[in-house]
Amino acid sequence: MFGIRDARREEFDRTALVHVPELLRVASRLCGSTDAGEDLLQETYLQAWRSFHRFEPGTNCRAWLYKILLFTYSAQKRQRARRPLLVDLDAAGETALGIDVPTPDTLTQEAVRVAFDRLPEHFRTPVLLVDVEGLTYREAAEAMDVPIGTVMSRLSRGRALLRVELARHAPGSTTRAQHAAGQSDKRRAGA
């Protein structure tokens, strides 16, 4: 019996633990800090170890771990929240989605972080998984437990919202939507 546990542990180490660095990046990004991300990662790997007997060798362990990570994150978030979080997309952001907003030529790391953090979570997650971590649409769909079309739709919308946010937070830039809003304000003021 001792040999079976050792073999199971070796298989877990070989297939699951190799993904720690990328899962930690995603967990830290989701949680907003490395410390909270490490806690989330620890809980993710605990859940993965407990259910490793159900993992089918030869399948995509990376997507399986992302699914556990996202499920664990959602469960922790539900436990912390006493009421549902309402997504607040302001009218300018929604309007700007219909306008082709160019990405500014110069961006600071802080501007990118702020813009990314302003994305609603259901748009931020696919952007994080696909564009930052390099998962395929199929892997992201498995991890998020949604159809691949949903990933593609949310990714497209998330990218568009990110462009709007990047334009807002770039030093000295204004979006066409902000410019148009300024023009209509001037017309109302009689200027």
Side-chain angles (χ1 to χ4, degrees):
M1 184 160 163
F2 185 71
I4 293 172
R5 282 189 183 161
D6 286 344
R8 183 174 172 227
R9 175 60 188 248
E10 286 177 22
E11 179 68 17
F12 184 79
D13 290 352
R14 189 173 51 256
T15 59
L17 291 182
V18 298
H19 301 289
V20 166
E22 66 185 277
L23 286 168
L24 178 58
R25 279 193 310 270
V26 171
S28 297
R29 191 81 214 125
L30 287 171
C31 295
S33 77
T34 302
D35 289 340
E38 287 173 349
D39 291 343
L40 174 60
L41 184 66
Q42 183 176 4
E43 184 63 29
T44 298
Y45 271 95
L46 178 62
Q47 294 301 324
W49 173 248
R50 287 180 177 159
S51 58
F52 193 64
H53 64 282
R54 289 182 276 181
F55 175 73
E56 296 178 32
T59 60
N60 190 339
C61 187
R62 180 180 179 212
W64 181 70
L65 289 168
Y66 273 112
K67 186 174 190 172
I68 295 170
L69 176 88
L70 294 173
F71 179 81
T72 304
Y73 173 70
S74 294
Q76 287 178 354
K77 197 170 164 189
R78 279 192 305 274
Q79 287 175 349
R80 286 189 306 262
R82 296 197 183 265
R83 56 190 153 101
L85 177 65
L86 300 176
V87 175
D88 181 25
L89 290 177
D90 61 18
E94 284 292 312
T95 302
L97 285 177
I99 299 172
D100 183 26
V101 179
T103 303
D105 292 332
T106 57
L107 291 168
T108 65
Q109 187 175 12
E110 179 65 13
V112 173
R113 188 194 62 73
V114 168
F116 187 78
D117 287 346
R118 285 194 37 90
L119 294 178
E121 185 177 328
H122 60 281
F123 296 133
R124 185 175 54 234
T125 300
V127 171
L128 177 62
L129 294 178
V130 174
D131 291 342
V132 178
E133 292 301 322
L135 271 68
T136 65
Y137 291 163
R138 184 168 311 288
E139 289 172 329
E142 287 176 31
M144 294 169 58
D145 201 22
V146 298
I148 197 167
T150 302
V151 169
M152 294 168 70
S153 173
R154 289 180 184 175
L155 184 60
S156 175
R157 184 80 182 269
R159 287 171 176 164
L161 284 170
L162 185 58
R163 281 192 298 276
V164 169
E165 290 300 325
L166 287 171
R168 281 189 186 155
H169 295 286
S173 73
T174 59
T175 65
R176 287 185 219 167
Q178 290 169 323
H179 180 70
Q183 292 298 323
S184 67
D185 289 344
K186 287 180 186 177
R187 279 189 222 118
R188 275 189 239 129

